[in-house]
Amino acid sequence: MDEYGQGIWRYVYSMTRNTAVADDLSQEVFIQAYQHLSQFRETSSMKTWLFTIAKHKCIDYFRSAFVRRVTFHARMDDVSDDSVEERVIASEQRNAVWAALFQLKPDAREVVLLHTKEDMTFKEVGQVLGISETAARVKYHRAVQKLQRMLGEGGRRR
């Protein structure tokens, strides 16, 4: 899978928290992009165009009658050289961050995920979400502040 494919899959997975759904929706993103390649306007990058399609696929998925709620599944990293205790603590901290992230409104969560996990600039985030670069910066700043309040010191929830 190429760079865009992995990024799209990670984004869709971070929104749905379901590997099978992420596989299906990611495939649909590229099928739709291929079918509408002639409509791609080079006013934005291919990356932002693909992430915009992915965003709309996620919205459609969550609007469907089939989906009633999102289930959070903690993701364990690959086995490392850390002790069991260190891995458990790191896992608990990751779980706390993900749980707090999923308490944010979807638009705030998207800004954080696109900027931090997908390394998009605020201009690119704005293009994907259909908002200005300034609005993306403000949403990100507010979301990070809220996450900090929810997590408190040391990444633990209050």
Side-chain angles (χ1 to χ4, degrees):
M1 196 181 302
D2 69 349
E3 174 189 344
Y4 290 149
Q6 290 175 348
I8 295 295
W9 189 90
R10 279 192 314 264
Y11 171 73
V12 173
Y13 177 76
S14 68
M15 297 305 292
T16 63
R17 305 305 290 170
N18 184 313
T19 56
V21 171
D23 289 344
D24 291 345
L25 293 181
S26 297
Q27 183 176 1
E28 289 179 25
V29 167
F30 288 101
I31 290 170
Q32 183 174 339
Y34 179 76
Q35 290 173 339
H36 297 94
L37 193 57
S38 64
Q39 297 174 0
F40 172 63
R41 289 180 246 123
E42 295 186 24
T43 56
S44 66
S45 71
M46 179 68 72
K47 179 180 179 179
T48 58
W49 185 59
L50 290 171
F51 274 90
T52 302
I53 294 170
K55 174 187 180 248
H56 290 287
K57 289 290 179 190
C58 288
I59 289 170
D60 292 345
Y61 171 75
F62 286 117
R63 284 183 181 161
S64 71
F66 175 74
V67 178
R68 295 294 180 223
R69 62 179 237 249
V70 176
T71 304
F72 173 74
H73 297 286
R75 178 182 62 109
M76 291 295 289
D77 286 343
D78 295 335
V79 175
S80 68
D81 294 333
D82 296 337
S83 72
V84 172
E85 293 141 284
E86 289 171 330
R87 282 187 276 159
V88 168
I89 290 169
S91 176
E92 287 176 359
Q93 289 172 338
R94 269 193 313 279
N95 291 345
V97 170
W98 278 107
L101 191 61
F102 275 89
Q103 289 180 18
L104 294 176
K105 291 181 181 177
D107 60 332
R109 182 172 59 238
E110 283 179 314
V111 170
V112 171
L113 290 171
L114 290 172
H115 183 67
T116 59
K117 294 291 275 177
E118 300 305 328
D119 296 322
M120 287 189 176
T121 65
F122 287 112
K123 182 177 182 178
E124 291 173 325
V125 171
Q127 288 174 339
V128 169
L129 301 179
I131 58 178
S132 70
E133 178 180 351
T134 303
R137 286 180 186 277
V138 169
K139 282 182 184 285
Y140 177 80
H141 179 71
R142 289 179 180 162
V144 168
Q145 283 182 327
K146 187 168 187 171
L147 285 171
Q148 287 171 339
R149 283 192 306 273
M150 289 190 313
L151 294 169
E153 190 174 322
R156 291 195 172 88
R157 296 183 69 199
R158 286 192 216 187

